[in-house]
């Protein structure tokens, strides 16, 4: 009926994909338990996605508990113990996930009063909680100190006085790290050895601000300086940036513990070098996650060697993965609503597939130009591959989930599409734009499923209103 | 204490601003009732912002009811009646706002089942509701048809059958518009007379898809074609794009009503040309909102002339402003938490002011590189102007509200900052990122204030969990 359907398709980046490829479930992008049944349905942890969609509706997040736990264990082993690995809760936080992290022996990072409140509500041990944030107010710091969190990461001079005063009022000495900008910026496949000073977090190493902040902490009653912190980037595939940042921080470390500038201060408590997170995961089949064993081995030996070269004891190394734990553990299940072939300006055709979600449950393509993979879940596809854009249901033309992909042309309304690697920064950044309330998060494990977070409803929205 | 504070400041775009300018409240950016008291405090609709912050906490949205209503009335007058002006509820929707829109006699656009549900829950008359969306599922269309909405905007061939089938099942004839891509793209200060075909909404005019869709609607039982719809862009300051789109749509209109291709169809119902929204507002003092009277006068005379030239009766013109109604009616009030001077890579200094909100309550700077204005609310500033970035409290370096501005250096923790023109697409796109739950929306009118939407709490988040 549409006169455009026989026009040539728009050019596409990944022309090499085949139908056979499309029907495969890429193991390094999906949860470990994902695969197809003999009749071609996608199954995760023994649950057919068609059954999950029938039971819980769509859109829905599906999280593989065993996959999440396995990634925790792998990181703990690589870095020499769970207490070295701080799960960055901003990636995905619920009480259930706090319990999993606790049971696997990992530590936990929180970056707001709300994240701390959720962790404590879950019963997470405060002595394994580290507190982040560029704007910790009095209430947040008080809650953290009263709870007895292990570490507060100092991010500004104002905070030195603020944390110390609260600690003294509470009759405590609060262990702190100082957040340092090492002048290293690592993102994806490259790192930059200079710059990235012009951002809100931390104290500049190059300018001397970081050292001054450390000296200030060392001379302030109520604080005990335990070490240094840095974070070089997000979704990093190139490990050299972490190593260079560690090298630079150890220079400051050596000056501090050598006692040169710290004659009257007790530097014996310094034992932690926190190198942050940012370990890249595979969102699409052409990516390979950062090898955490390799990075861990490299970093730990580098820190030991560098510390020895300065004649000081090596600190323990903490890391803060979030995405690398939860990112690949969850997928989003959508149902196809409409399919149409769109005549583009250059007399070609692009197929548009609309699903029952979009930028409200995954803002990352619109916000970061993030790329995702997408597979048919309820059957094997049989059609010809055509240039396709997967879009959401929002009233906004930028509401795109998959900007361009080759997808089979037999995908039709009612089919189920699954986007993998949506465990991190999707539910947490979800909005109710267009009154499309948040999907549920379903846990799958051993052939069973259960609700971790229920679907929001319009009634939930209306309950906030005075009317 | 920080060694950087005496370094030169980073270069800045707007070097011309003075302290006197900064202390002014730009009337075309703030709600109409905003001003300063004699002692220098910001007051909106007779409410001191300091009092609002004390009573409701920060961050908080403050919406001026009279300002909202006045913009409704101005648009209704410009376009020849409230029924011609469809408030685009995606910009900001609550039952209270539905009531204001209803009382001012405007019509209402909804773009999702959730938006329709809120409008109906508010008692908004369905006969003044138009239904949009690229992916209207069976439940949404059924709810719309059953409610008796005035118009459903057809966005894909699949929807023609879907709406018709539901209408027949319900024993009704549903009035519809066909969404047309006129090949015009207007954004901000320019428009492009071709292209923008490659997006999810509507049917291409140039390819003939739009005409085919109209003919299909005319020949389908259960549907009554009432007219055409288009939308050329967002935050438009240049009215020519609207006029060109109207011209192009009238070409199709004339072919339809002339009966040339529609011998057996009843075209007598065609009476609506909906030219969408996108009217630009002033986010910063250097911008001037699109003059709606001028645009309305121009469009209405253009449509009349063009229709006459085709020898057909002129359709009524509907428009769909959202931002132009609610955008300037609300501001966001933040409290300053930390202030620090950051050494940048080029040996200059930028001041960073952190406030108790950020990309969770206003994603637009990060998502669209949107620029906002910012003023001190609790007093007049007295300091020297320095290069300043206003950032939120999120654990993400991209969490920036004002990227660069000259602001006085006496702004300190505890001060209140107000960002104006946050009524549209801020609360609606708000997330709970970092468990920073949504601020409240406070209505101010005649010296009084009341809660429209209460503040969300961590308890609200936890209530969704099974634990």
């Amino acid at each position: 009926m549409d006169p455009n359907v026989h026009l040539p398709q728009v050019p596409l980046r990944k022309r090499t994909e085949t139908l056979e490829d499309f029907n495969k479930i890429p193991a390094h992008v999906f949860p470990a338990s994902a695969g197809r049944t003999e009749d071609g349905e996608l199954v995760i942890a023994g649950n057919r996605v068609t059954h999950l969609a029938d039971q819980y509706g769509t859109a829905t997040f599906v999280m593989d508990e065993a996959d999440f736990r396995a990634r925790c264990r792998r990181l703990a082993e690589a870095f020499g113990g769970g207490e070295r690995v701080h799960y960055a809760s901003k990636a995905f936080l619920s009480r259930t996930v706090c319990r999993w992290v606790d049971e696997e022996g990992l530590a936990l990072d929180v970056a707001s009063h709300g994240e701390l409140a959720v962790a404590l509500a879950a019963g997470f041990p405060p002595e394994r909680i580290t507190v982040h944030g560029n704007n910790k107010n009095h209430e947040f710091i008080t809650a953290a100190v009263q709870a007895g969190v292990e570490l507060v990461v100092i991010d500004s001079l104002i905070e030195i006085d603020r944390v110390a005063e609260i600690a003294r009022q509470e009759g405590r000495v609060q262990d702190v790290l100082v957040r340092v900008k090492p002048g290293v910026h690592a993102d994806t496949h490259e790192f930059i050895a200079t710059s990235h000073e012009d951002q809100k977090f931390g104290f500049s190493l190059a300018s001397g601000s970081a050292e001054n902040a450390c000296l200030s902490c060392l001379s302030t009653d109520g604080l005990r300086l335990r070490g240094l912190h840095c974070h070089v980037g997000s979704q990093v595939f190139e490990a050299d940036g972490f190593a260079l940042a560690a090298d630079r921080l150890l220079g400051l470390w050596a000056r501090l513990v050598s006692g040169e500038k710290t004659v009257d201060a007790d530097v014996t408590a310094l034992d932690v070098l926190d190198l942050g997170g940012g370990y890249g995961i595979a969102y699409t089949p052409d990516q390979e996650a950062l090898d955490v064993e390799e990075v861990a081995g490299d970093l730990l030996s580098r820190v030991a060697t560098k510390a020895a070269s300065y004649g000081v004891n090596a600190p323990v190394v903490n890391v803060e993965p979030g995405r690398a734990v939860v990112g690949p553990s969850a997928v989003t299940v959508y149902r196809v609503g409409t399919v149409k072939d769109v005549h583009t300006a250059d007399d070609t055709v692009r197929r548009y597939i609309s699903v029952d979600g979009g930028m409200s449950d995954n803002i990352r393509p619109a916000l970061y130009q993030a790329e995702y993979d997408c597979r048919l879940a309820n059957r094997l596809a049989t059609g010809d591959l055509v240039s396709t854009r997967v879009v959401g249901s929002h009233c906004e033309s930028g509401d795109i989930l998959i900007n361009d992909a080759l997808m089979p042309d037999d995908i039709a309304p009612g089919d189920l599409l699954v986007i993998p690697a949506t465990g991190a920064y999707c539910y947490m950044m979800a909005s109710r734009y267009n009154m499309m309330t948040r999907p549920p998060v379903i846990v799958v494990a051993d052939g069973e499923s259960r609700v971790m977070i229920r679907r929001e409803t319009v009634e939930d929205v209306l309950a906030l209103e005075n009317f």
Side-chain angles (χ1 to χ4, degrees), chain A:
Chain A
M1 201 164 187
D2 188 309
N4 300 318
V5 292
H6 300 300
L7 290 174
Q9 297 166 21
V10 292
L12 190 79
R13 197 166 39 86
K14 297 178 198 161
R15 280 287 180 199
T16 55
E17 207 167 358
T18 65
L19 181 65
E20 193 186 354
D21 280 343
F22 181 82
N23 280 326
K24 282 181 188 158
I25 300 300
H28 62 300
V29 181
F30 274 74
S33 67
R36 288 207 184 268
T37 57
E38 282 192 7
D39 53 351
E41 285 196 29
L42 177 64
V43 63
I44 304 177
N47 293 266
R48 283 176 186 251
V49 168
T50 51
H51 293 180
L52 297 172
D54 289 344
Q55 184 170 356
Y56 302 108
T58 51
T60 185
F61 291 95
V62 175
M63 190 175 289
D64 181 336
E65 178 177 353
D67 185 274
F68 183 102
R69 289 179 180 269
R71 289 175 203 278
C72 289
R73 286 196 288 272
R74 183 177 163 193
L75 282 153
E77 188 162 340
F79 282 96
E83 70 278 15
R84 302 277 70 86
V85 179
H86 294 233
Y87 173 67
S89 66
K90 64 176 175 163
F92 185 95
L93 178 61
S94 72
R95 283 173 292 176
T96 298
V97 157
C98 286
R99 186 165 60 198
W100 296 349
V101 170
D102 181 21
E103 289 170 357
E104 298 301 333
L106 271 59
L108 192 78
D109 275 7
V110 299
S112 74
H113 197 170
E115 289 181 356
L116 176 65
V118 173
L120 296 177
F124 197 92
E127 63 273 17
R128 281 192 278 134
I129 292 177
T130 293
V131 172
H132 281 279
N134 65 302
N135 187 23
K136 310 177 194 78
N137 65 13
H138 190 272
E139 292 70 26
F140 179 21
I141 296 169
T142 302
V145 171
Q146 286 180 342
V149 300
E150 185 192 8
L151 293 164
V152 173
V153 181
I154 298 287
D155 192 70
S156 62
L157 294 175
I158 287 172
E159 271 187 12
I160 294 175
D161 296 335
R162 208 177 271 175
V163 175
E165 185 182 335
I166 292 167
R168 291 192 302 265
Q169 280 169 357
E170 298 291 328
R172 293 173 183 256
V173 173
Q174 179 61 54
D175 284 4
V176 297
L177 304 181
V178 165
R179 180 157 182 166
V180 177
K181 278 189 275 215
V184 176
H185 180 45
D187 260 323
T188 310
H189 289 288
E190 58 177 350
F191 80 93
I192 303 165
T194 55
S195 93
H196 209 53
E197 298 273 308
D198 189 13
Q199 52 112 319
K200 68 180 181 179
F201 292 110
F203 297 91
S204 163
L205 185 66
S207 72
S209 300
E211 183 159 354
N212 285 354
C214 290
L215 296 176
S216 180
C217 286
L218 284 168
S219 64
T220 300
D221 286 343
L223 303 185
R224 188 169 72 147
L225 183 65
R226 288 278 305 281
L228 307 175
H229 173 278
C230 71
H231 181 77
V232 299
S234 292
Q235 186 62 357
V236 177
F237 292 105
E238 168 60 74
D240 294 353
F242 298 112
L244 180 60
D247 280 1
R248 290 186 178 173
L249 261 61
L250 281 166
L252 171 56
W253 184 276
R255 288 198 300 281
L256 291 171
V257 300
S258 69
E260 183 191 334
K261 291 191 177 178
T262 51
V263 178
D264 299 327
D266 180 6
V267 294
T268 56
L270 270 87
D271 64 343
V272 172
L273 192 65
D274 188 328
L275 296 175
Y279 301 164
I281 66 164
Y283 280 104
T284 54
D286 56 313
Q287 297 178 324
E288 278 294 337
L290 189 72
D291 184 322
V292 295
E293 288 81 6
E294 196 178 310
V295 170
D298 181 50
L299 275 185
L300 297 180
S301 69
R302 184 97 165 222
V303 167
T305 307
K306 195 82 182 179
S309 80
Y310 285 121
V312 299
N313 290 331
V316 298
V317 172
N318 288 352
V319 292
E320 301 173 321
R323 188 195 319 263
V325 176
V326 73
S329 299
V331 305
T332 313
V333 183
Y334 300 104
R335 197 175 293 277
V336 175
T338 61
V339 174
K340 80 173 164 187
D341 289 314
V342 168
H343 173 262
T344 66
D346 49 354
D347 280 339
T348 54
V349 162
R350 190 197 298 278
R351 176 153 291 194
Y352 276 70
I353 295 179
S354 299
V355 297
D356 52 358
M359 63 193 293
S360 56
D361 59 70
N362 190 353
I363 190 77
R364 296 190 68 259
L367 183 59
Y368 309 118
Q369 292 71 55
E371 295 191 9
Y372 282 89
D373 190 54
C374 182
R375 305 284 157 158
L376 184 59
N378 52 307
R379 60 183 176 87
L380 292 173
T382 57
D384 296 328
L385 298 185
V386 295
S387 301
T388 301
R389 181 170 284 172
V390 180
V391 298
S393 300
H394 292 277
C395 196
E396 179 155 339
S397 56
D399 174 32
I400 294 168
L401 289 167
I402 312 272
N403 193 49
D404 61 354
L406 280 175
M407 290 175 64
D409 64 2
D410 60 318
I411 295 174
D415 275 335
L416 294 173
L417 290 182
V418 165
I419 294 187
T422 59
Y425 304 107
C426 290
Y427 189 86
M428 288 296 108
M429 301 182 84
S431 74
R432 291 167 177 162
Y433 190 32
N434 283 126
M435 288 291 162
M436 286 169 59
T437 50
R438 286 191 190 73
V441 182
I442 306 300
V443 179
V444 289
D446 301 324
E448 305 285 326
S449 67
R450 64 183 190 278
V451 175
M452 179 199 289
I453 304 175
R454 73 161 169 82
R455 184 181 300 280
E456 281 186 325
T457 65
V458 170
E459 287 67 38
D460 292 323
V461 179
L462 297 183
L464 297 173
E465 293 184 17
N466 285 332
F467 183 72

